[in-house]
Amino acid sequence: WDDDAKVYRMLYQDFWYYSKDPVKYTYAIAYAESKDGIKWDTPNLGFYKWKNSRQNNICWQVPSDRDAPVTTGAYSQYLLTIPKEHRRGYKFVMYYVSSTGVHLVGSNDCIHWDEKSITQIGKDFHPDTHASIVWDPDRNKFVWFTRATDRYSDSDNLTRGATRRVARLENTKLWADWPLQTQNIFIPDTEDAANRSKGVDGHNFFYGMPTRYHAGIYWGCLWPYRLKAGLIETHLAISRNGRVFERLPGRPTLIGRGPVGAWDAGMIFGSPDWIEVGDQWRIYYGGSDSPHSLVRTPGIGLVTIRKEGFVSLRGPNHGGVVCTRRMIWPGGNLHVNCYTTLLDAKPGELKVRIVDAARKVPPGFDYADSIPFKGDK
């Protein structure tokens, strides 16, 4: 959401097989915009030749050759959410991968990208799916979550799993050559592999995990990958230090695949770049109608949740109590995300009290002093 222009802006990855024999293909980054985030327009930009025509909405390709496709092109784009002082004067900073490695480029409108700003941050590094670089203000570092594809053997199916893990890098500088010392921080475990011993192709590998830093927590959109079946969905993974990630009990999907025959029945690639609209978060995702191993038709979808509604506590109809951990009051307001309608549609209410470490209530802060809240806010 571009608040200055009052418009939604989207960058998405295009793919094209331009030769079948020999097999050659290329990627490019396309642009779309919307007034409401639901109906999208794809402007005719005319910047690059794509599928033998300049009548397209491609906004970024390998700059050195605007009229001919190249084998890898520009792909795995990601818009960085970083402080203004790290943008080098640009409103938008984009991460992308090409045949020579990983790069950053700047723009002021998300359409015209400044070739003079291109900075290589990973030479000959080719993570072949969407990654993310986030700014951690508590540690004053940039943290890069990726899949270090070319740092591990990928010669046969026996070693294929080595590339299907989530790796981490960190650096104090963004526009610089990063030390490419990747650390695997999220690896499929015995529970991921449990179904395989039963003859079911379970979530045996990870395809990627774009990540966002919000409210002191790393929020990852993890993509478990059933390699043999070619199926991918999106789970929620959270971390307080950017190194140890956990999933919810039972490992439910955050965005599950659609029913058989649906446009998103094969693969789901959720993005952590949710957009806040009132008391709602909008999460965009890429999907396809078929598994990874088949010819497929892709699309882009939208799901919504209540603001900060990834997890919740639900009390019984007769009422319940939630007691937080002890906290040092930092000043300001404490916000509670609350929905008070009961299961039988009768209105409920929320009251709050404050206690000290011994559970004693300071004068004026008991339930009787609280103004009851009713509603969904």
Side-chain angles (χ1 to χ4, degrees):
W1 171 251
D2 185 339
D3 199 46
D4 296 325
K6 305 300 179 187
V7 66
Y8 290 83
R9 303 186 188 276
M10 179 188 290
L11 300 177
Y12 65 91
Q13 179 177 286
D14 253 343
F15 178 78
W16 173 32
Y17 276 112
Y18 64 89
S19 173
K20 292 183 178 180
D21 188 17
V23 172
K24 292 183 180 181
Y25 55 86
T26 187
Y27 295 94
I29 299 168
Y31 173 82
E33 65 183 30
S34 170
K35 292 294 185 182
D36 61 4
I38 298 173
K39 185 176 187 248
W40 291 81
D41 297 317
T42 53
N44 183 15
L45 301 178
F47 295 164
Y48 300 93
K49 196 170 183 180
W50 182 257
K51 295 186 178 179
N52 302 315
S53 171
R54 282 183 175 268
Q55 304 295 308
N56 59 63
N57 63 323
I58 302 299
C59 70
W60 191 245
Q61 180 55 293
V62 175
S64 62
D65 196 349
R66 289 179 175 265
D67 291 312
V70 292
T71 302
T72 55
Y75 60 97
S76 294
Q77 79 291 338
Y78 184 78
L79 275 179
L80 275 61
T81 302
I82 54 177
K84 187 175 182 179
E85 62 266 26
H86 294 290
R87 298 181 204 160
R88 289 195 170 178
Y90 295 101
K91 186 173 181 178
F92 301 99
V93 176
M94 178 173 64
Y95 159 114
Y96 71 96
V97 186
S98 77
S99 59
T100 57
V102 181
H103 311 264
L104 300 178
V105 64
S107 171
N108 287 315
D109 61 4
C110 218
I111 302 172
H112 302 85
W113 295 89
D114 186 1
E115 295 184 14
K116 296 178 182 178
S117 70
I118 297 174
T119 301
Q120 189 172 67
I121 63 172
K123 186 177 181 181
D124 295 327
F125 184 41
H126 306 285
D128 68 340
T129 195
H130 291 76
S132 54
I133 296 177
V134 300
W135 169 248
D136 186 333
D138 296 322
R139 297 167 180 82
N140 290 315
K141 287 184 178 180
F142 292 97
V143 184
W144 183 353
F145 296 96
T146 183
R147 204 181 81 204
T149 307
D150 58 353
R151 290 297 183 268
Y152 304 97
S153 173
D154 196 19
S155 59
D156 54 57
N157 288 332
L158 294 177
T159 57
R160 182 73 175 171
T163 71
R164 307 292 186 181
R165 302 169 179 178
V166 178
R168 178 188 191 277
L169 302 93
E170 66 175 41
N171 203 10
T172 55
K173 297 180 180 179
L174 176 64
W175 302 79
D177 239 343
W178 282 55
L180 296 178
Q181 299 168 357
T182 58
Q183 175 192 15
N184 279 337
I185 49 93
F186 212 4
I187 301 173
D189 59 19
T190 53
E191 189 172 338
D192 289 305
N195 286 334
R196 300 186 71 195
S197 62
K198 301 174 184 178
V200 180
D201 190 17
H203 296 154
N204 37 351
F205 297 128
F206 295 154
Y207 201 86
M209 189 182 72
T211 304
R212 177 175 184 162
Y213 190 78
H214 170 75
I217 296 175
Y218 288 87
W219 305 84
C221 278
L222 180 68
W223 300 336
Y225 179 28
R226 301 181 188 180
L227 184 63
K228 291 182 180 178
L231 301 175
I232 298 173
E233 57 192 24
T234 297
H235 288 191
L236 176 66
I238 56 176
S239 173
R240 292 187 179 274
N241 60 11
R243 294 181 183 275
V244 179
F245 280 83
E246 296 178 303
R247 283 168 281 176
L248 300 180
R251 300 184 178 176
T253 58
L254 176 63
I255 309 175
R257 293 178 293 109
V260 175
W263 73 272
D264 57 356
M267 298 187 292
I268 296 288
F269 299 97
S271 166
D273 291 315
W274 61 76
I275 296 177
E276 188 171 311
V277 181
D279 282 340
Q280 184 184 80
W281 276 356
R282 293 179 174 180
I283 303 175
Y284 292 86
Y285 69 97
S288 74
D289 59 348
S290 300
H292 191 281
S293 55
L294 301 177
V295 176
R296 54 200 181 272
T297 302
I300 296 172
L302 167 67
V303 296
T304 62
I305 62 172
R306 297 176 65 242
K307 179 181 176 180
E308 299 183 345
F310 284 127
V311 295
S312 65
L313 296 173
R314 177 176 295 173
N317 275 356
H318 62 269
V321 176
V322 175
C323 183
T324 72
R325 287 186 286 182
R326 187 173 59 171
M327 63 178 74
I328 298 175
W329 192 253
N333 296 323
L334 174 67
H335 293 272
V336 179
N337 187 346
C338 182
Y339 177 61
T340 60
T341 299
L342 303 181
L343 294 179
D344 57 7
K346 293 180 180 179
E349 66 179 21
L350 172 73
K351 290 184 178 181
V352 177
R353 77 172 182 180
I354 297 173
V355 298
D356 61 18
R359 294 286 184 94
K360 293 183 178 180
V361 182
F365 290 97
D366 210 339
Y367 290 128
D369 306 300
S370 173
I371 301 173
F373 170 77
K374 300 179 180 181
D376 177 10
K377 194 173 179 62

